[in-house]
């Protein structure tokens, strides 16, 4: 299938990186289309662990052109660091391409992200404080600075002067915090310009050419469906659209070119940051998931909130992204539990009225007060980390996967049973 989008079906951290890594082996191009270095993908190869925040995971394969599309917000400092560290480990970044239309995260975006969170106090979003929201804000307000501005230092200086004037006013007068030094920023960004200019390209055209040659192109989503700014748990969301449709806008391809959408779903649920989470577990069981699943953020190191699998959410993700197949990750983390709970419906009580939701509730205040209704399934005791085909899995694990596929209405295509590259069951 030439064009495949990979998206997260939950609140991010589903393990998209390892699924992309698996699919990238047979691909010629991997394209990021939204988000920025708020994302974090960990890939474990024979050469050890790789953590990516901006560079598409496919860079590890020599045949892959790794593309950062126009919909991504790029912190050039982070990108330069990732390029340098890859080079230091012997990976050439010759096949990296960066859209000239992508927006740049500036130092004042990072300061504003922190200042806004502090001002919100108890009502904070729990952002990654990487400047993502303020950068997308400037993009929409048409005062953003784009990658292509790095190619013309005169234009860069003019745009910086305007933007820094506005932002320093905001930082100093509204948020009572220090602004940035325009000369320092100009100097710093001129250095990034020199480092990044070899990678800047018309990435929409490159993707079009690859698709016309019949090559496999993967579109790598970041974050997850419920962090989508339109369809997620607003305001506790990120500032972009992690659903599959955004691949078209954020990479510059038409919707008729996309042929497959893989939804990545962790075998249980996790979330970082604030906001509602109906199947959240506290106490021992929550701790079990954190410990066994090593549930700490790749980007911020924060402990993830953990809970049972939520099929209401999964069905919502399938609907929003037109998912054609599922990748279930971290199935091994469920091993050893006597009983597994899976949420298949919500109950909502309000003013004496009782409602059941088998589909995702249309309003946040309903979602906030929903109680999960669980189906119980027997667990399994076996270590499944060595499973490579369905028949290697215990019957209970196969029943768990069958239930997911049946409720979601799409087949399970990939199952991961450990962090290693080979710990995959292809269905
Ligand atoms: P922001 O994207 O940094 O503005 O953060 C907004 C919300 O999205 C916060 O709750 C973050 O924790 C969450 N978030 C952003 N990126 C990721 C991710 O890659 N995985 C999980 N949560 C994320």
């Amino acid at each position: 299938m030439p064009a495949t989008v990979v998206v997260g079906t939950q609140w991010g951290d589903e393990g998209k990186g390892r699924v992309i890594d698996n699919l990238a082996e047979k691909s010629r191009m991997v394209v990021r289309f939204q988000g920025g270095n708020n994302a974090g993908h960990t890939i474990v190869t024979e050469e050890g662990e790789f953590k990516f925040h901006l560079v598409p995971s496919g860079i590890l394969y020599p045949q892959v052109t790794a593309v950062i599309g126009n919909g991504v917000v790029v912190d050039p400092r982070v990108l330069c660091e990732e390029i340098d560290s890859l080079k230091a480990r012997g990976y050439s970044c010759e096949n990296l391409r960066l859209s000239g239309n992508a927006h740049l995260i500036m130092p004042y975006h990072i300061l504003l992200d922190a200042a806004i969170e502090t001002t919100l106090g108890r009502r904070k979003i729990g952002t990654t404080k990487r400047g993502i929201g303020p950068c997308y804000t400037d993009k929409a307000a048409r005062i953003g600075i784009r990658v292509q501005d790095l190619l013309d230092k005169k234009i860069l200086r003019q745009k910086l002067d305007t933007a820094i004037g506005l932002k320093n006013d905001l930082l100093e007068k509204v948020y009572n915090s220090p602004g940035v030094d325009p000369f320092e920023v100009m100097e710093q960004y001129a250095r990034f310009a020199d480092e990044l200019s070899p990678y800047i390209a018309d990435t929409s055209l490159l993707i079009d050419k690859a698709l016309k040659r019949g090559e496999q192109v993967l579109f790598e989503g970041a974050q997850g469906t419920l962090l989508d700014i339109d369809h997620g748990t607003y305001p506790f969301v990120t500032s972009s659209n992690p659903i599959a449709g955004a691949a078209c806008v954020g990479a510059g391809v038409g919707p008729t070119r996309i042929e497959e959408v893989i939804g990545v779903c962790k075998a249980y649920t996790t979330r970082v940051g604030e906001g509602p989470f109906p199947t959240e577990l506290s106490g021992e069981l929550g701790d079990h998931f954190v410990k066994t699943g090593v549930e700490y953020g790749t980007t911020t190191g924060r402990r993830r909130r953990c809970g049972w699998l939520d099929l209401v959410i999964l069905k919502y993700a399938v609907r929003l992204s037109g998912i054609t197949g599922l990748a279930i990750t971290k199935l091994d983390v469920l091993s050893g539990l006597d009983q597994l709970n899976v949420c298949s419906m919500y109950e909502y009580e309000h003013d004496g009225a009782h409602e059941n939701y088998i589909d995702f509730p249309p309003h946040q205040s309903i979602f906030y007060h929903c109680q999960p209704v669980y189906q119980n399934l027997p667990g399994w005791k076996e270590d499944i980390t060595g499973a490579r085909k369905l028949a290697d899995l215990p019957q209970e694990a196969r029943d768990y996967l069958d239930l997911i596929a049946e409720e979601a209405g799409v087949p399970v295509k990939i199952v991961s049973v450990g962090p290693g590259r080979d710990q995959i069951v292809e269905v």
Side-chain angles (χ1 to χ4, degrees):
M1 283 303 210
T4 303
V5 184
V6 178
V7 290
T9 61
Q10 296 159 318
W11 277 284
D13 307 320
E14 298 92 352
K16 293 176 292 295
R18 62 118 58 251
V19 173
I20 300 271
D21 181 55
N22 178 264
L23 299 173
E25 197 178 359
K26 295 176 211 113
S27 305
R28 295 300 300 272
M29 199 173 257
V30 179
V31 185
R32 279 242 1 224
F33 57 88
Q34 47 74 227
N37 60 309
N38 47 351
H41 291 164
T42 307
I43 290 161
V44 183
T45 74
E46 309 73 50
E47 285 151 70
E49 198 175 74
F50 290 80
K51 285 184 193 289
F52 296 111
H53 296 286
L54 269 173
V55 171
S57 323
I59 193 96
L60 298 181
Y61 292 103
Q63 86 286 1
V64 165
T65 300
V67 175
I68 299 179
N70 57 277
V72 177
V73 286
V74 179
D75 184 330
R77 185 187 56 78
V78 174
L79 183 55
C80 289
E81 277 172 14
E82 284 189 10
I83 293 171
D84 290 346
S85 89
L86 274 164
K87 283 184 178 167
R89 289 176 80 171
Y91 283 88
S92 146
C93 288
E94 267 171 27
N95 286 348
L96 177 68
R97 298 289 179 273
L98 171 60
S99 168
N101 289 352
H103 279 248
L104 289 171
I105 294 184
M106 307 300 294
Y108 47 80
H109 290 141
I110 298 167
L111 294 175
L112 279 167
D113 201 349
I116 294 167
E117 284 282 271
T118 307
T119 309
L120 285 173
R122 279 195 322 116
R123 298 205 319 274
K124 71 176 193 291
I125 309 294
T127 74
T128 59
K129 296 195 181 149
R130 300 297 191 265
I132 308 294
C135 184
Y136 278 117
T137 303
D138 282 1
K139 175 178 177 175
R142 292 155 297 176
I143 52 167
I145 296 176
R146 297 196 291 176
V147 166
Q148 59 185 275
D149 298 326
L150 293 174
L151 298 173
D152 184 335
K153 301 236 163 80
K154 194 170 149 220
I155 292 281
L156 180 64
R157 191 179 306 275
Q158 278 172 10
K159 290 197 172 177
L160 268 179
D161 276 348
T162 314
I164 291 182
L166 285 167
K167 299 299 166 176
N168 276 354
D169 269 359
L170 198 57
L171 280 162
E172 287 159 8
K173 295 180 188 157
V174 176
Y175 294 105
N176 212 9
S177 76
V180 298
D181 178 342
F183 299 103
E184 228 174 75
V185 176
M186 184 63 208
E187 224 174 76
Q188 204 184 14
Y189 277 65
R191 257 185 285 124
F192 296 143
D194 295 338
E195 256 192 82
L196 294 179
S197 54
Y199 305 106
I200 301 173
D202 181 347
T203 50
S204 162
L205 186 62
L206 290 178
I207 298 166
D208 183 59
K209 285 185 176 168
L211 289 173
K212 281 185 176 148
R213 286 194 296 267
E215 291 173 4
Q216 169 81 37
V217 177
L218 275 182
F219 296 89
E220 173 180 349
Q223 290 85 45
T225 304
L226 290 185
L227 290 174
D228 187 280
I229 192 165
D230 287 278
H231 303 283
T233 48
Y234 192 91
F236 302 104
V237 293
T238 192
S239 298
S240 64
N241 295 102
I243 60 171
C248 297
V249 182
V253 293
T256 50
R257 312 291 289 282
I258 309 290
E259 299 192 24
E260 201 170 345
V261 180
I262 301 291
V264 185
C265 176
K266 209 181 269 188
Y268 48 101
T269 311
T270 61
R271 152 162 228 183
V272 277
E274 311 302 315
F277 179 176
T279 63
E280 183 167 16
L281 289 165
S282 54
E284 251 176 57
L285 212 42
D287 292 345
H288 168 83
F289 283 123
V290 175
K291 208 167 138 218
T292 319
V294 198
E295 293 297 351
Y296 294 93
T298 316
T299 304
T300 56
R302 286 180 291 177
R303 187 186 199 271
R304 296 179 183 141
R305 300 156 64 191
C306 295
W308 293 116
L309 180 63
D310 187 334
L311 295 173
V312 180
I313 284 175
L314 181 60
K315 280 191 292 180
Y316 185 51
V318 169
R319 162 158 54 107
L320 291 173
S321 284
I323 289 169
T324 55
L326 294 171
I328 306 297
T329 57
K330 289 195 160 180
L331 189 65
D332 54 302
V333 174
L334 298 183
S335 298
L337 296 172
D338 292 328
Q339 182 184 290
L340 305 173
N341 290 348
V342 176
C343 169
S344 46
M345 185 175 82
Y346 300 141
E347 267 179 352
Y348 174 68
E349 310 264 357
H350 187 64
D351 281 347
H354 179 113
E355 275 178 87
N356 289 337
Y357 284 90
I358 53 168
D359 290 307
F360 192 77
H363 298 133
Q364 274 297 289
S365 38
I366 301 175
F367 185 60
Y368 250 98
H369 298 107
C370 278
Q371 293 302 320
V373 178
Y374 289 115
Q375 291 188 51
N376 315 121
L377 283 91
W380 59 90
K381 295 284 177 223
E382 294 89 332
D383 173 4
I384 60 168
T385 53
R388 296 296 176 267
K389 49 188 192 310
L390 265 189
D392 298 339
L393 293 173
Q395 187 58 47
E396 293 83 356
R398 278 184 275 155
D399 290 346
Y400 190 74
L401 295 174
D402 285 346
L403 175 75
I404 296 173
E406 194 182 311
E407 293 264 336
V410 282
V412 172
K413 297 205 166 167
I414 298 170
V415 181
S416 85
V417 290
R421 251 185 175 170
D422 63 327
Q423 290 182 295
I424 291 268
V425 174
E426 294 209 25
V427 182

